[in-house]
Amino acid sequence: MKQIFWKFFPFWIFLIFFKFGGGLHYSLISPLGEKFLPLWLVGILMGGSSLVQLLLDVPAGHLLDRYGYLRFLKITTFLFLVAALCISYGLTINTYFLSIFFSIFGWLFYGSGVNAYILSHAPKESAGKFISLRDVAGSIGMMLGSAALPFVLLFAPHYSYMGYVIFAFLFVSFIALFFSPKDRVSVHAETKLPTQHHYIRRHFIHTTIQAMRRLNPASSMLIMLDLAGSIFYGVIWFVVPLVIAHQADAKLLGLGLGIFDFAVVALGFLLGSLADKANKRTLVFFGLLIFSISGMLLGLNFGWLFLLFGFLATTGDEMAGLSLWSWLHSLDREHASDGVIAGVIGFFQDLGWAIGPVFAGIAYGLVGPSMTIIIGAIPILIIWAVYQIKMREHHSHSGLSFALIPQKPHRARHKT
């Protein structure tokens, strides 16, 4: 495994710097957009961009399969470089729209291209570890980009410098691709993970509906949690960059945007061990409660307490998500639907990232940043209430060792 890790070291560098530059670009959309447009329209642009990516996801997957994963990763990174150059040329309404347009296609082939490339190369016995390395590298890049956001905003009104900074990070990722191992085989040649269809987005509607019905209520609860969680994080990534841009004493929030991924990395092993021993029904109860309450409290303080509540919110999210995935896994005794359900989860995650910014753009101008975040966390509290009702109808939420459960589909707390 160690030898393979170093063989793909250039690719991990690509992931880190792509997420560094791409995440920084996404964070700047709302504070730059308010220079020209009402915030409700900026929110629609951000949400609409995610919706376009969602609609084009399957065609993009077919293009990747036909023309090569690494080739299209180079193309998608190049398009993101063009998006950065648009800003470096000078911030106008035209360059702003052009930058968003090219970034849509910069993100479009990234997720499925990275996953297909990794799975096509990974040995079957270590495919899960490769996916974990992907998550860690991406999280490192997003944490670095979040920490850099307050300093990049200091360049205003010299907006061209922002474009140069983003271009520099993405250029490093672009060069790293040329040193990465070339495509070997199609990802469809062999199934290496039970959730492989989630990573390459291949599932059929009738199969999905059948699986959803058979695995209820665990499947519906997990999907509702991922939808509400993605809406919440979409709100966070719209609101917090605006707060950083407006408040001189809010520079600490750059770290706050990275705290969500840090919590996952720091507590992943501990939460897995806890879920192994504790009652999963109790973990879901307290996980959803902690997630919803901490999410609301995030809106009340943009200082050090934001870091604490952000850490707690993600901790609760992971507690509930891991336990619901365990419950789902125990219901699916043949494990024939893991990939199907994971694909639906990915769909609703993307849908949440489309809804969140649209809502935030409308609410921000009406009720301000604090109330926007608080309202954005309310759907999670509603899901906690729905869970209580479901549990009165179903009392078979039995324990199951996490050591026997395939890797849970990762929900990014940032743009993917």
Side-chain angles (χ1 to χ4, degrees):
M1 182 64 189
K2 185 177 180 181
Q3 182 179 0
I4 296 177
F5 170 81
W6 286 110
K7 179 182 178 181
F8 285 88
F9 184 75
F11 192 74
W12 309 135
I13 295 297
F14 158 74
L15 291 177
I16 292 172
F17 280 89
F18 187 97
K19 277 299 185 74
F20 200 152
L24 196 54
H25 180 274
Y26 185 78
S27 302
L28 289 169
I29 291 178
S30 56
L32 294 184
E34 70 166 346
K35 307 296 181 184
F36 309 102
L37 305 167
L39 283 177
W40 63 267
L41 185 53
V42 177
I44 290 176
L45 281 174
M46 292 178 69
S49 298
S50 296
L51 185 60
V52 169
Q53 293 167 34
L54 175 60
L55 295 174
L56 295 178
D57 189 39
V58 173
H62 287 294
L63 287 173
L64 285 162
D65 295 337
R66 182 171 182 178
Y67 296 107
Y69 311 128
L70 196 62
R71 177 185 297 176
F72 258 92
L73 286 175
K74 293 175 182 177
I75 292 174
T76 204
T77 308
F78 177 79
L79 291 174
F80 228 140
L81 286 170
V82 176
L85 284 176
C86 290
I87 298 177
S88 63
Y89 182 77
L91 186 63
T92 66
I93 186 66
N94 292 328
T95 58
Y96 178 74
F97 277 116
L98 282 172
S99 184
I100 292 178
F101 173 79
F102 283 109
S103 72
I104 290 174
F105 295 95
W107 285 113
L108 178 60
F109 298 98
Y110 170 78
S112 53
V114 166
N115 296 330
Y117 175 82
I118 288 175
L119 287 172
S120 67
H121 279 282
K124 188 170 184 178
E125 64 275 7
S126 57
K129 293 182 180 179
F130 264 59
I131 292 295
S132 297
L133 285 171
R134 174 211 64 179
D135 295 341
V136 170
S139 295
I140 290 173
M142 288 302 299
M143 286 189 287
L144 291 173
S146 300
L149 178 61
F151 301 99
V152 173
L153 286 171
L154 290 176
F155 290 142
H158 304 291
Y159 298 110
S160 59
Y161 294 159
M162 297 181 179
Y164 295 143
V165 170
I166 296 170
F167 181 89
F169 294 137
L170 289 172
F171 185 74
V172 172
S173 69
F174 183 67
I175 296 300
L177 285 174
F178 288 89
F179 295 92
S180 301
K182 299 185 182 302
D183 289 338
R184 189 177 60 179
V185 295
S186 169
V187 69
H188 302 286
E190 181 182 6
T191 299
K192 299 179 180 180
L193 287 175
T195 55
Q196 180 162 318
H197 290 296
H198 160 65
Y199 295 117
I200 58 178
R201 298 289 172 83
R202 298 289 187 273
H203 50 273
F204 300 97
I205 294 176
H206 70 277
T207 306
T208 300
I209 294 174
Q210 290 176 357
M212 286 287 295
R213 290 175 176 172
R214 183 165 54 86
L215 301 178
N216 263 324
S219 57
S220 58
M221 287 302 307
L222 190 58
I223 286 168
M224 284 190 289
L225 171 61
D226 278 84
L227 174 62
S230 297
I231 291 173
F232 171 73
Y233 290 116
V235 169
I236 291 292
W237 281 86
F238 183 94
V239 171
V240 172
L242 285 171
V243 175
I244 294 174
H246 292 164
Q247 299 182 15
D249 58 347
K251 304 307 180 186
L252 185 66
L253 286 181
L255 296 176
L257 284 173
I259 198 67
F260 305 107
D261 277 294
F262 175 77
V264 175
V265 175
L267 292 178
F269 177 77
L270 177 61
L271 290 176
S273 299
L274 178 64
D276 237 358
K277 303 172 184 177
N279 181 282
K280 294 178 180 59
R281 179 173 179 176
T282 303
L283 287 179
V284 176
F285 176 90
F286 285 106
L288 289 173
L289 191 61
I290 292 171
F291 188 16
S292 59
I293 293 177
S294 298
M296 292 179 184
L297 292 174
L298 275 172
L300 299 179
N301 189 285
F302 293 119
W304 282 103
L305 286 177
F306 187 95
L307 300 181
L308 173 62
F309 292 134
F311 189 90
L312 290 175
T314 305
T315 301
D317 185 11
E318 281 293 291
M319 283 175 59
L322 283 171
S323 299
L324 285 171
W325 182 254
S326 170
W327 185 16
L328 179 75
H329 185 81
S330 65
L331 292 175
D332 187 15
R333 300 190 182 280
E334 296 180 359
H335 308 301
S337 303
D338 287 345
V340 174
I341 295 297
V344 179
I345 289 171
F347 174 87
F348 279 95
Q349 288 174 4
D350 293 342
L351 184 60
W353 276 96
I355 295 173
V358 175
F359 161 75
I362 297 171
Y364 191 97
L366 296 175
V367 297
S370 294
M371 282 303 300
T372 300
I373 292 176
I374 291 172
I375 297 172
I378 289 178
I380 305 167
L381 187 62
I382 294 174
I383 289 173
W384 174 79
V386 171
Y387 176 73
Q388 309 316 308
I389 297 172
K390 292 285 187 182
M391 286 302 95
R392 292 174 183 174
E393 302 172 357
H394 300 269
H395 302 283
S396 59
H397 196 186
S398 57
L400 186 66
S401 171
F402 266 68
L404 303 176
I405 299 174
Q407 182 178 5
K408 172 184 173 291
H410 174 72
R411 169 157 25 97
R413 275 74 180 180
H414 47 71
K415 176 68 175 176
T416 58

